Amino acid sequence: MTLDHFAQNAKSSWWNEAGPDADIVRSSRIRLARNFRDFRFPTIYNKEEANKVMELVKEKLGKQNTDAVGNLDIFELEKLESLERQVLVEKHLISPNLAEDSLYGACLLSENEDISIMVNEEEHIRIQCMVSGLQLTEALDLANKYDDWVEQQIDYAYDEERGYLTSCPTNVGTGLRASVMMHLPGLVLTRQINQIIPAINQLGLVVRGIYGEGSSAVGNIFQISNQITLGKSERDIVEDLTSVVQQIIAQERSAREALVKTSHIQLEDRVYRSLGVLLNARIIESKEAATCISDVSLGIDLGYIKNIEKSVMNELMILTQPGFLQKYAGGPLQPYERDVRRASLIRERLDLAQIENS
Amino acid sequence: MVCQECNQRPATLHFTKIINGEKKEIHICDKCANEKGDLFMQNGSNGFSINNLLAGLLNIEPFLQQAKASTLTHVDELKCKNCHLTFKEFVHVGKFGCATCYETFKDSLDPILKRVHGGNTAHVGKIPERLGESIHLRKQIKDLKSELRALIDQEEFEQAALMRDQIRSLEKEDIAAKERGNQP
């Protein structure tokens, strides 16, 4: 497999688009948690019921019924290699939970990977829509379209008073989790992030690292999402999150401006050192890679680096994850081998990017 | 300004803490801030999530004791007739077993939901298209039935008979809607 070909596979097609404020907001995501009325929830159901849920999904949401929404491919997790599962997680198409311990887990993917429907995760299904930049409303509209389509085929567990019923009390009501992934190097460098995170938490929003629950912020990437799903309409949830995100964007921009004004040479030094590491390292751990990629991304945003596209950095962020690396290598790797492979992959990809732009 | 923790290095972080309504200004240096990490909400540290917290949250709910004292049934022994999850298990796991659980544990849910959802207990968002038709009808029927009872109480039998017919036709519509719903 050539790197070029692999790079094509590495990014979902929405990655190529630069949505609004894409320099700071990498992506917007909507997830709708839904359960089927006639089955117990994944919390306590047995293998047989999990299988029935899967069969029902295959029957009702299979290719024969997708005319209204466009083609969806079903991937049953048990039939995938563990590396392939890991890659789906690293592309944010499925959750780590689904990859690791679901019974008859599956996911349905649209062609350009903007829609993914997880089956037999924490809830019977989770409809996920991901788009570039800050476009939560657009993502919600798209997710709703798929939600309506599923509802035409299968009876949902829904209650007039409580809304969409979910196994986890934190999802009940709208079942909506809206989140944005933000690259905030300016706020981290100026340490403002330490004040901003508690403030965001007070607004009923949650801040996490890049790979969702329980992961720490790698490469200055933060995920901000709503906590409350009950008592607020979908529109309100999305609008509230959007307005907070817009404020954070403004803060990040002014932090960047202040950095350029007060520590221009230090900043440029940092960016070019990191680029130097990426271009020359022979062994690199994922954390160091993430830090350098973040620095270089900032350098591109600020106009220091002109011959590399920002999308290449977004791509590298995903490509350098352990699952992708091993898929690229064609088999499992020891951590040390991974670090070597990661360094060579980054060098090759950057060479390619510079040739493209020379 | 000098850091109030070490009294050596210059203070670079300035913030206000409010505990029990008492305001406290804090000025410290980077090093002390790092050491006193608990002052800040560290992002995603050691895999702590709302789901982990929830079971604990439910356990310490004082309402549990109140509910026990005020009703004759033991809330803990409530068992969902559909999935057989007990209230005790629900509190332990922090998750429902099936849609019926919401009905089974109804009386104890409001305080839990309020806690998790900023004081809210009722859904105001999307109503599913197909199921929604039937929900709308059922609400209408419910309203008419209570009017019907009022009419009977007032001995307005003629009007009551009209209303009864209206309810019957709505109920037929509801059944038809449900059948349509089951065969999309």
Side-chain angles (χ1 to χ4, degrees):
Chain A
M1 196 185 285
T2 67
L3 180 65
D4 212 13
H5 171 78
F6 184 71
Q8 285 307 311
N9 282 346
K11 48 191 175 185
S12 309
S13 14
W14 58 264
W15 279 82
N16 292 328
E17 301 157 15
D21 297 307
D23 55 332
I24 293 172
V25 180
R26 284 182 20 149
S27 61
S28 302
R29 184 180 73 183
I30 295 287
R31 259 191 201 172
L32 299 172
R34 300 289 186 250
N35 287 288
F36 302 154
R37 193 188 59 196
D38 303 325
F39 298 92
R40 295 193 292 176
F41 294 157
T43 335
I44 57 165
Y45 67 9
N46 53 31
K47 237 184 145 177
E48 200 182 316
E49 281 169 286
N51 192 23
K52 275 190 195 159
V53 169
M54 168 92 108
E55 290 302 322
L56 185 69
V57 165
K58 278 202 252 175
E59 183 199 329
K60 299 285 189 181
L61 310 181
K63 284 205 189 311
Q64 65 284 1
N65 279 333
T66 54
D67 290 351
V69 286
N71 199 21
L72 288 171
D73 286 313
I74 298 190
F75 296 94
E76 293 175 49
L77 290 180
E78 279 171 16
K79 294 183 183 163
L80 297 179
E81 307 260 337
S82 79
L83 269 182
E84 292 175 302
R85 276 182 252 164
Q86 204 176 340
V87 165
L88 289 174
V89 174
E90 287 167 5
K91 284 172 99 169
H92 303 282
L93 291 172
I94 64 173
S95 66
N97 262 347
L98 186 74
E100 281 154 27
D101 39 40
S102 61
L103 280 174
Y104 291 99
C107 74
L108 284 75
L109 289 182
S110 69
E111 250 156 61
N112 64 352
E113 300 182 349
D114 56 349
I115 288 283
S116 129
I117 303 179
M118 288 182 258
V119 185
N120 282 331
E121 202 223 18
E122 189 178 39
E123 315 289 351
H124 288 145
I125 60 165
R126 266 186 157 165
I127 301 169
Q128 170 180 296
C129 174
M130 246 176 133
V131 296
S132 164
L134 180 58
Q135 304 189 74
L136 283 168
T137 312
E138 288 77 0
L140 177 65
D141 290 343
L142 193 56
N144 268 331
K145 185 177 132 191
Y146 281 79
D147 183 38
D148 293 342
W149 168 66
V150 176
E151 204 249 334
Q152 291 305 321
Q153 327 284 332
I154 303 175
D155 287 327
Y156 277 155
Y158 182 87
D159 176 78
E160 275 177 76
E161 192 194 353
R162 308 290 192 197
Y164 293 93
L165 302 179
T166 55
S167 76
C168 193
T170 54
N171 295 333
V172 71
T174 56
L176 169 70
R177 197 73 65 203
S179 65
V180 288
M181 236 185 310
M182 305 185 80
H183 182 225
L184 303 173
L187 294 177
V188 174
L189 281 172
T190 56
R191 308 212 169 199
Q192 290 178 65
I193 197 78
N194 291 333
Q195 282 131 300
I196 286 175
I197 289 176
I200 299 172
N201 285 325
Q202 280 178 356
L203 294 168
L205 301 174
V206 189
V207 187
R208 297 199 190 95
I210 180 171
Y211 282 102
E213 274 177 43
S215 52
S216 56
V218 175
N220 299 325
I221 299 220
F222 295 85
Q223 182 188 304
I224 300 166
S225 55
N226 66 305
Q227 184 60 58
I228 292 170
T229 59
L230 188 66
K232 274 173 102 172
S233 73
E234 288 82 356
R235 295 276 152 211
D236 285 349
I237 292 172
V238 160
E239 277 165 24
D240 288 356
L241 179 59
T242 303
S243 70
V244 170
V245 168
Q246 276 163 344
Q247 285 184 42
I248 301 171
I249 292 173
Q251 299 260 11
E252 169 68 19
R253 287 201 204 288
S254 69
R256 288 181 186 188
E257 265 170 47
L259 281 168
V260 170
K261 250 183 222 159
T262 59
S263 339
H264 165 72
I265 194 72
Q266 288 93 329
L267 201 58
E268 203 173 344
D269 178 67
R270 189 188 172 105
V271 165
Y272 276 100
R273 274 174 187 275
S274 288
L275 182 60
V277 170
L278 292 181
L279 283 171
N280 297 294
R282 261 51 183 175
I283 304 168
I284 192 165
E285 284 183 17
S286 65
K287 210 170 169 186
E288 188 186 5
T291 308
C292 292
I293 291 168
S294 166
D295 288 342
V296 173
S297 297
L298 179 64
I300 296 171
D301 288 344
L302 296 176
Y304 294 153
I305 297 173
K306 293 199 170 67
N307 61 345
I308 301 174
E309 301 276 341
K310 179 79 178 293
S311 64
V312 174
M313 287 296 128
N314 290 341
E315 203 183 301
L316 279 180
M317 201 73 204
I318 299 254
L319 277 172
T320 52
Q321 301 292 325
F324 256 109
L325 272 182
Q326 296 177 76
K327 197 160 178 247
Y328 169 50
L333 296 171
Q334 295 301 313
Y336 171 76
E337 296 173 310
R338 260 186 246 164
D339 295 345
V340 173
R341 184 66 71 150
R342 181 177 296 114
S344 75
L345 187 145
I346 292 171
R347 290 200 313 273
E348 283 177 53
R349 185 67 192 93
L350 286 178
D351 280 348
L352 204 68
Q354 286 176 324
I355 293 165
E356 278 166 15
N357 282 305
S358 62
Chain B
M1 192 176 288
V2 179
C3 169
Q4 64 190 54
E5 282 296 319
C6 60
N7 289 320
Q8 287 172 9
R9 290 173 287 270
T12 50
L13 279 172
H14 312 276
F15 60 96
T16 313
K17 245 188 3 183
I18 299 174
I19 298 169
N20 295 331
E22 228 176 280
K23 227 166 120 178
K24 206 175 158 196
E25 300 270 338
I26 295 175
H27 309 278
I28 53 174
C29 66
D30 296 353
K31 196 158 179 282
C32 293
N34 273 335
E35 281 163 13
K36 299 202 73 177
D38 59 328
L39 284 171
F40 308 103
M41 182 80 179
Q42 289 293 321
N43 178 52
S45 57
N46 57 35
F48 222 45
S49 75
I50 183 76
N51 288 347
N52 301 130
L53 275 172
L54 200 67
L57 193 77
L58 303 185
N59 259 324
I60 54 156
E61 273 290 345
F63 81 90
L64 277 184
Q65 282 112 42
Q66 284 168 19
K68 259 186 209 162
S70 64
T71 58
L72 289 171
T73 54
H74 277 280
V75 182
D76 272 5
E77 285 161 18
L78 266 180
K79 194 174 187 176
C80 177
K81 63 179 189 299
N82 181 41
C83 71
H84 311 300
L85 189 82
T86 64
F87 188 72
K88 215 173 162 181
E89 286 167 331
F90 163 62
V91 168
H92 180 68
V93 187
K95 286 181 187 177
F96 296 102
C98 69
T100 316
C101 287
Y102 280 87
E103 199 51 47
T104 314
F105 308 132
K106 196 174 197 304
D107 295 336
S108 314
L109 280 190
D110 279 4
I112 296 171
L113 294 175
K114 269 186 191 163
R115 257 217 150 133
V116 182
H117 296 288
N120 300 315
T121 59
H123 177 58
V124 296
K126 187 170 176 178
I127 298 170
E129 251 172 69
R130 196 161 53 87
L131 276 172
E133 194 183 353
S134 165
I135 287 171
H136 182 70
L137 279 170
R138 275 207 309 275
K139 191 175 178 312
Q140 237 181 316
I141 293 168
K142 212 173 136 195
D143 291 348
L144 286 177
K145 276 186 177 165
S146 71
E147 272 181 57
L148 177 66
R149 265 191 298 276
L151 288 173
I152 293 171
D153 285 346
Q154 293 157 24
E155 300 188 357
E156 306 262 12
F157 296 119
E158 245 171 77
Q159 279 193 44
L162 284 174
M163 191 148 289
R164 183 202 57 206
D165 293 345
Q166 211 181 334
I167 292 171
R168 276 191 189 152
S169 82
L170 281 176
E171 277 173 341
K172 265 185 209 151
E173 240 182 87
D174 184 32
I175 290 164
K178 267 188 197 143
E179 272 168 8
R180 276 202 303 281
N182 286 334
Q183 292 153 345

